[in-house]
Amino acid sequence: MKMVKKASVEPSQTRPMRADGQRKMAALLEAAIQVFARSGVDAPVREIAEAAGVGLGTVYRHFPQRSDLIVAVFQGQVKACADAAAVIARKYEPAEALSRWMQRYVDFLGTKQGLAAALHSGDPAYSALPEYFDQHLRPALNGLLDEAVRAEAIRSGIEAKELLGAVGTLCCQGPHMDIGSARRMVSLLVDGMRYGAIKQEEPA
Amino acid sequence: MKMVKKASVEPSQTRPMRADGQRKMAALLEAAIQVFARSGVDAPVREIAEAAGVGLGTVYRHFPQRSDLIVAVFQGQVKACADAAAVIARKYEPAEALSRWMQRYVDFLGTKQGLAAALHSGDPAYSALPEYFDQHLRPALNGLLDEAVRAEAIRSGIEAKELLGAVGTLCCQGPHMDIGSARRMVSLLVDGMRYGAIKQEEPA
DNA sequence: TTGCAAGCGGAACCATGTTCCATTATTGTT
DNA sequence: AACAATAATGGAACATGGTTCCGCTTGCAA
């Protein structure tokens, strides 16, 4: 059992991807990044295939579901967003940290045309997305939430999953996608949590 | 110039709709109500046509855009929701009235599978919806908002349109559409407005 | 060099929204 | 009552976009 070098994505216990396969996959990822940025995450698959100089079948071979492609493209940024929580928590007091991280998440979603919408579409083609996001972001948010509650800066009893979902929906105001509006509404949401805090602070 | 009886929808300054036309239109509306309730507002047009025992062409003759059909089906309920604002305002203090009306709106949107999503989809087929909703609901909400601000129960500077949009998005959590979650998040939003009020009340 | 499984391309299929037009039905007029 | 004008109908046809399928090609190990 020789361990040949593995491609970034490989089924365990099996041979590594063929060289040309890896090449196409990389081209696909590259193209998807471009196309998603230009036309949003709901760009036609054909468009991505063409941009990558690849057949449709090849797209589906590497990314059986549309959402697999999206996850592949954004996983780095999702992780970065999750990691930002700890950094922010170190710099600010709990409630402020929570607020800032929420805005950080808004900034991420808000600049990916169609991502937020896809996240909540319920379209089976995107089914893997909510799971992926929740799995990675919930722990991060939960940490911030716990600290803020412990500091009595916000009310308790808020579900991270619910909050995450709310931010996601607030970021999908159609195509006009006014990120400023999303930011204001999320800010209102955070203030709502402060309103029920044990220690009632003076609002700015 | 004899005023013949007019169909519910008729271009001004023109002959009334033919008798069979009115019949089909009524059947269509009837069927749409059923189908929307059963399969959501994004049900295939063909399904509605079939349910009404009508050809596809007939659907598009009476409702050139998909959204026209939706508006026709829900206009009564939208108006009722708008009218509820005045009633509620008479019964409760300003902030409470605002809160209750917002929940009223959530209840409306939340029980119409897919309506909230359509409202924010940006899909040109639904383009008339946001306009219609905004036009009818904004004045209602503005009244409540003004009173609450005047009573110094909430902060000022909140845009009714933005708030309406936010509630709409919060109501489209995919198909699972947990109305409880939407209610909690909207409640948080309202509390957020209270947090910035001049007179800071004691939270419950 | 050669055999074969991995990988490829894109035609074909399905679902859905929308348009078009030959056919049918209603209605005011004669 | 018969007719002409035209409103209204139904559904085939077109467009778009996701997904599947399969015969051909190619990298790789023997």
Side-chain angles (χ1 to χ4, degrees):
Chain A
M1 168 191 169
K2 50 187 172 179
M3 253 317 186
V4 203
K5 87 163 189 282
K6 318 155 94 173
S8 53
V9 175
E10 93 292 22
S12 55
Q13 231 63 49
T14 197
R15 256 191 299 179
M17 199 183 302
R18 238 169 58 177
D20 59 342
Q22 295 181 37
R23 247 183 339 243
K24 297 280 178 180
M25 183 138 180
L28 221 25
L29 224 42
E30 190 70 26
I33 292 173
Q34 307 273 336
V35 173
F36 283 169
R38 174 160 31 88
S39 315
V41 299
D42 39 8
V45 176
R46 283 170 174 79
E47 191 179 333
I48 299 168
E50 186 174 16
V54 144
L56 261 181
T58 305
V59 179
Y60 281 93
R61 153 165 288 265
H62 291 297
F63 304 97
Q65 301 216 230
R66 214 185 144 61
S67 53
D68 294 330
L69 189 48
I70 298 177
V71 167
V73 165
F74 292 117
Q75 60 181 354
Q77 295 179 57
V78 171
K79 181 163 188 319
C81 189
D83 292 345
V87 176
I88 292 174
R90 225 169 291 129
K91 259 213 270 275
Y92 300 94
E93 28 139 4
E96 177 67 12
L98 173 63
S99 175
R100 288 192 178 245
W101 187 81
M102 298 270 278
Q103 296 296 340
R104 168 73 169 73
Y105 185 39
V106 170
D107 286 343
F108 167 55
L109 279 185
T111 49
K112 272 76 197 168
Q113 192 184 125
L115 217 206
L119 211 42
H120 297 276
S121 66
D123 185 326
Y126 294 121
S127 63
L129 276 186
E131 195 185 335
Y132 184 85
F133 272 68
D134 185 67
Q135 196 172 341
H136 286 253
L137 264 21
R138 182 128 65 114
L141 177 54
N142 252 327
L144 296 169
L145 239 24
D146 284 350
E147 282 191 57
V149 167
R150 199 161 335 114
E152 297 180 346
I154 65 168
R155 76 177 67 172
S156 63
I158 304 285
E159 288 288 334
K161 180 169 189 164
E162 215 163 88
L163 204 49
L164 235 24
V167 175
T169 62
L170 286 171
C171 285
C172 58
Q173 318 247 166
H176 30 302
M177 240 305 256
D178 181 357
I179 197 174
S181 172
R183 265 198 274 257
R184 283 188 290 277
M185 291 301 110
V186 168
S187 167
L188 224 43
L189 224 42
V190 174
D191 285 348
M193 294 191 279
R194 294 202 239 235
Y195 180 71
I198 295 174
K199 276 186 193 159
Q200 192 78 20
E201 278 175 46
E202 196 56 37
Chain B
M1 172 190 174
K2 50 187 173 178
M3 252 316 185
V4 204
K5 88 159 188 286
K6 319 155 93 174
S8 53
V9 175
E10 93 292 23
S12 55
Q13 231 62 51
T14 197
R15 257 191 296 180
M17 200 182 300
R18 239 168 59 176
D20 59 342
Q22 294 183 38
R23 256 190 323 261
K24 297 281 179 181
M25 182 138 179
L28 221 26
L29 223 42
E30 189 71 26
I33 292 173
Q34 306 274 334
V35 172
F36 284 169
R38 173 160 31 87
S39 314
V41 300
D42 41 7
V45 175
R46 281 169 175 79
E47 190 179 333
I48 298 169
E50 185 174 17
V54 143
L56 260 182
T58 306
V59 179
Y60 281 93
R61 154 165 287 264
H62 292 296
F63 304 97
Q65 303 215 229
R66 212 186 146 61
S67 54
D68 295 328
L69 188 48
I70 298 178
V71 167
V73 165
F74 293 117
Q75 61 181 354
Q77 294 179 58
V78 171
K79 183 167 187 316
C81 189
D83 293 345
V87 176
I88 291 174
R90 225 170 291 127
K91 259 212 272 272
Y92 300 94
E93 30 140 2
E96 177 68 11
L98 173 62
S99 175
R100 288 192 178 245
W101 186 81
M102 297 270 279
Q103 296 295 338
R104 167 75 169 73
Y105 185 39
V106 171
D107 286 344
F108 167 55
L109 279 186
T111 50
K112 271 74 196 168
Q113 193 185 125
L115 216 207
L119 211 42
H120 297 277
S121 65
D123 185 327
Y126 295 119
S127 63
L129 276 186
E131 196 185 337
Y132 183 85
F133 272 68
D134 186 67
Q135 197 170 341
H136 286 254
L137 264 20
R138 182 128 67 115
L141 178 54
N142 253 327
L144 296 169
L145 240 25
D146 285 349
E147 283 191 57
V149 167
R150 199 162 334 114
E152 298 181 345
I154 66 167
R155 76 176 69 171
S156 64
I158 304 285
E159 287 290 334
K161 180 168 190 164
E162 215 164 88
L163 203 50
L164 234 26
V167 175
T169 62
L170 285 172
C171 285
C172 57
Q173 320 248 167
H176 31 301
M177 239 305 254
D178 181 357
I179 197 175
S181 171
R183 264 199 276 257
R184 282 187 291 277
M185 291 302 109
V186 168
S187 167
L188 224 42
L189 224 42
V190 174
D191 285 347
M193 294 190 279
R194 294 204 241 234
Y195 179 72
I198 297 174
K199 275 185 194 160
Q200 192 77 17
E201 278 176 46
E202 195 55 38

